[in-house]
Amino acid sequence: MKKKLFTRKTPFLFTHLRKKPCPIGHFKTENDLYLAYVDWLDYYDPIGFVRNWGILHEYEPEARELVQRVQRCVNAEEFAVTLRECLVEWFCEEDIKPHFWQHGVCTVAEDGWALWRRFEFDLQQISKRSHLRKNHTIPATLALSTAPSSLLNK
């Protein structure tokens, strides 16, 4: 039996440097994804801003760019390549801390990709709900029969 090419990875939020499962419906806007990516980069801390100096949210520009780049990726492997390219582009390769490389770019990218997939799923659900609300109209005959008599007599 062949192993599946795609296995579902539970997306995690990395709030306050703690890893916790991301609930369905968490993402409402692209800004929510951006904030999740800032926390994700803080958690893995490729340069050591958080570990060495305690500086949180230092990766905001990088998170903004990754939110744009992840949209062009097709899968987690492609996102891993993009992440590695971005890191080398933003920072000197020697500046990237050994603990980051020990985690492995693929492992880190899988978490980032899982956040992106949850974001897509959440927005799709929001779109479906708003579409249902728009198409859910009261038939005119029912609307007249339930309208207050003061409106009907005018």
Side-chain angles (χ1 to χ4, degrees), residues 16 22 31 58 70 98 105 117 120 140 146 149:
H16 306 295
C22 178
N31 192 55
E58 189 64 28
V70 70
V105 175
R117 296 293 293 160
E120 283 187 313
T146 58
S149 59

Side-chain angles (χ1 to χ4, degrees), residues 99-152:
H99 71 267
F100 185 80
W101 295 126
Q102 288 168 359
H103 273 293
V105 175
C106 290
T107 304
V108 176
E110 283 176 3
D111 282 335
W113 182 255
L115 285 170
W116 164 249
R117 296 293 293 160
R118 175 56 53 87
F119 169 76
E120 283 187 313
F121 177 80
D122 286 353
L123 287 191
Q124 196 175 45
Q125 295 305 310
I126 290 170
S127 175
K128 283 181 183 176
R129 277 182 279 183
S130 67
H131 179 71
L132 286 174
R133 276 190 227 124
K134 287 178 188 173
N135 291 337
H136 184 68
T137 56
I138 301 172
T141 54
L142 183 60
L144 286 176
S145 66
T146 58
S149 59
S150 61
L151 291 177
L152 293 174

Side-chain angles (χ1 to χ4, degrees), residues 62 65 69 82-93 96:
E62 292 82 6
E65 187 169 339
R69 288 195 182 192
T82 300
L83 178 61
R84 183 168 180 65
E85 288 171 356
C86 287
L87 289 170
V88 172
E89 181 182 315
W90 298 325
F91 312 110
C92 294
E93 199 162 347
I96 298 172

Side-chain angles (χ1 to χ4, degrees), residues 13-81:
L13 296 174
F14 301 89
T15 316
H16 306 295
L17 303 177
R18 297 192 196 286
K19 193 173 181 177
K20 64 179 186 175
C22 178
I24 292 175
H26 174 79
F27 295 107
K28 308 274 188 276
T29 65
E30 192 173 295
N31 192 55
D32 294 333
L33 179 64
Y34 161 71
L35 294 173
Y37 269 28
V38 170
D39 290 340
W40 166 65
L41 287 170
D42 278 350
Y43 182 83
Y44 285 110
D45 195 21
I47 298 300
F49 292 128
V50 178
R51 284 179 187 230
N52 297 341
W53 299 290
I55 303 172
L56 292 173
H57 306 295
E58 189 64 28
Y59 299 106
E60 289 176 349
E62 292 82 6
R64 177 85 50 212
E65 187 169 339
L66 281 173
V67 166
Q68 298 306 313
R69 288 195 182 192
V70 70
Q71 297 174 32
R72 295 187 292 260
C73 295
V74 182
N75 55 36
E77 292 79 22
E78 189 176 322
F79 183 58
V81 171

